[in-house]
Amino acid sequence: MSTTPAVDSFQTGSAIRPDLLVEASDAADVRAAVRDAAARGLSVAVHATGHGLPGPVEGGVLISTRRMDGVEIDPERHTARIGAGATWGAVVAAAAPHGLAPLNGSSPGVGAVSYTLGGGLGILAREFGYAADHVRSLDVVTADGVLRHATPDVEPDLFWGLRGGGHRLGVVTGLEIGLVAVDRLYGGALAFDGEAAPEVLRRYLEWTRTVPDTCTSSPSAMRYPDMPQLPEALRGRYVVSVRVAYTGPAADGEALVAPLRAIGPALSDSLREMPYTESHTIHSDPPFPHAYYGEGLMLRDLDAGTAARVLELTGPKAPMMTVVQLNHLGGALAVPPAHDSAVPHREAGFLLRLLSPLDGTDVTAVRALYARVAAETAPYALGRALNFSFGGGDRTDGFHSTGTRERLAGLVSRYDPASLFGGAYEQGPVSRDAR
């Protein structure tokens, strides 16, 4: 166990200034850190890869689980044992030789455990549901310093709350999760000139009414920076892209995306059959640390007119650069799992995600823009997405329904009566890693 003061984080937009940083190597280190913090009356926060943070971490003890990055695959049981610091890229690489895949997100550098505690919305989500739905067991150190093993039969309340409730109930040191038999897919992205963005979104929304559950997709609109690392066709342009992941045969995939290709000339087209180990290329999320602020709005539905107004607010005329992404939900995401969980808003048809770089940008202005977007989508609003409030732990309302929030608050009172991991549940830390 190390107490090195440096804190490396992918999300650089929030200051992290704990009184003590504990770099844990195993569950014993976590137990010792939690017990020591409790004895000193210090708060405890958790940090894996740092893709998402709850806001500034001032004082207290920050437990880094980055070194706890073990991954063990059981090919016969189709499961993975994942350490608290393991990334999805490591899990994908370990599962692939066995013809298996996890329900990972779009970025290989995201922490697998933190992502799953927030629900886990992945690139195969419409076919297989949330990653949290596939968890078999979790090991968690609660505020009393006890390492507990939570399953549907042992510590069932913790098993319920940790799947979709975030970090508020303790420090998860590892979990076992089911894998799916997927070793290749048809996927990629179509990019169109941003001037056609409203029409692309209109045609896309029509298309989503026809696709099978084996297809998970998301359009994104943004002005690309003029950087030499980017394809020349995209540099400095406002672009709307549609990303697709389909597990059926490639020939069927070609037929499936034909209506998208018919929208008009594409700036780029990367749709192809690929091994699952290349699935991260569908979104090509930036791999370098940066500062950003974000929001995730869970919507019952969305019409083309509302989508066009959101694009107008967030497009080239917006006061700051804003990336807009719309995730098509439904399918297996709407089906309750075999064992109930705290994952909310299963009736949502879409997730509207907003992300703004913070290099020289006023957070207050970003919040004001997001409020205008929220007002436009209010008729469809169900709540907010726990995994996608990047850097936004300053606002924790709307993550869960009243009943789920009250049940989670009861578990906090039971397992953390001294509020070691934060204050009241609705003000506690949220999931750290998301994409």
Side-chain angles (χ1 to χ4, degrees):
M1 175 170 63
S2 170
T3 58
T4 302
V7 182
D8 294 325
S9 181
F10 186 87
Q11 157 65 293
T12 62
S14 295
I16 305 177
R17 300 187 182 92
D19 289 340
L20 181 66
L21 168 66
V22 176
E23 294 188 330
S25 297
D26 52 28
D29 286 348
V30 174
R31 292 183 65 195
V34 168
R35 288 178 172 177
D36 183 66
R40 299 188 191 194
L42 299 174
S43 62
V44 174
V46 190
H47 184 274
T49 64
H51 275 68
L53 296 173
V57 178
E58 299 290 343
V61 176
L62 181 66
I63 299 176
S64 170
T65 60
R66 186 169 304 188
R67 295 182 178 182
M68 302 167 62
D69 59 356
V71 177
E72 298 177 7
I73 305 298
D74 187 330
E76 294 184 1
R77 296 177 60 236
H78 285 201
T79 61
R81 176 70 190 173
I82 304 172
T87 64
W88 275 130
V91 183
V92 169
H98 307 287
L100 301 171
L103 296 180
N104 55 288
S106 59
S107 173
V110 161
V113 168
S114 293
Y115 160 103
T116 302
L117 297 184
L121 179 65
I123 60 175
L124 303 180
R126 280 178 39 81
E127 182 172 1
F128 298 106
Y130 288 99
D133 296 343
H134 295 258
V135 172
R136 307 287 183 85
S137 66
L138 307 99
D139 292 322
V140 56
V141 176
T142 46
D144 54 5
V146 174
L147 177 63
R148 303 174 189 270
H149 185 65
T151 73
D153 302 313
V154 179
E155 300 278 9
D157 289 338
L158 275 177
F159 186 73
W160 173 83
L162 289 168
R163 295 175 304 124
H167 282 267
R168 185 61 188 82
L169 295 169
V171 184
V172 173
T173 60
L175 57 78
E176 182 181 55
I177 194 168
L179 304 173
V180 296
V182 173
D183 61 358
R184 38 76 49 208
L185 53 75
Y186 175 89
L190 279 169
F192 301 94
D193 189 289
E195 291 187 1
E199 177 65 8
V200 173
L201 263 290
R202 185 186 70 80
R203 300 274 288 272
Y204 171 80
L205 290 170
E206 291 177 351
W207 180 74
T208 61
R209 315 301 181 193
T210 69
V211 299
D213 292 351
T214 47
C215 178
T216 302
S217 62
S218 63
S220 175
M222 65 174 289
R223 177 175 289 281
Y224 280 87
D226 189 2
M227 299 172 58
Q229 300 96 316
L230 294 173
E232 187 172 353
L234 302 180
R235 294 177 196 167
R237 299 185 69 161
Y238 182 55
V239 175
V240 57
S241 302
V242 181
R243 288 79 63 91
V244 175
Y246 172 64
T247 57
D252 293 348
E254 287 284 307
L256 184 68
V257 302
L260 298 177
R261 285 188 166 130
I263 292 174
L267 299 176
S268 63
D269 182 344
S270 64
L271 290 163
R272 69 195 190 282
E273 186 171 36
M274 65 180 72
Y276 196 78
T277 51
E278 295 180 9
S279 61
H280 64 278
T281 65
I282 295 174
H283 288 247
S284 295
D285 291 323
F288 49 85
H290 53 290
Y292 48 92
Y293 195 83
E295 178 65 290
L297 303 174
M298 300 294 280
L299 307 178
R300 183 176 289 103
D301 202 349
L302 186 66
D303 65 88
T306 301
R309 290 192 292 275
V310 170
L311 291 172
E312 178 66 22
L313 286 171
T314 58
K317 296 180 182 179
M320 74 287 298
M321 176 182 171
T322 300
V323 182
V324 177
Q325 178 169 313
L326 187 69
N327 290 79
H328 182 209
L329 306 180
L333 294 165
V335 179
H339 302 287
D340 191 22
S341 74
V343 175
H345 311 311
R346 289 184 182 269
E347 68 273 35
F350 295 95
L351 164 64
L352 177 62
R353 294 168 53 182
L354 307 169
L355 186 146
S356 299
L358 291 182
D359 186 12
T361 303
D362 181 5
V363 172
T364 300
V366 175
R367 291 175 185 153
L369 175 63
Y370 289 5
R372 294 179 66 191
V373 173
E376 287 288 348
T377 58
Y380 297 120
L382 293 171
R384 299 172 57 236
L386 179 63
N387 271 131
F388 298 103
S389 64
F390 301 120
D394 55 323
R395 60 207 201 291
T396 58
D397 58 297
F399 288 143
H400 298 94
S401 66
T402 300
T404 299
R405 187 171 62 250
E406 290 176 349
R407 184 175 174 184
L408 286 167
L411 290 179
V412 169
S413 297
R414 175 180 167 188
Y415 287 100
D416 186 13
S419 297
L420 188 71
F421 297 107
Y425 177 76
E426 60 270 16
Q427 298 174 345
V430 300
S431 179
R432 304 307 202 269
D433 294 314
R435 295 179 200 165

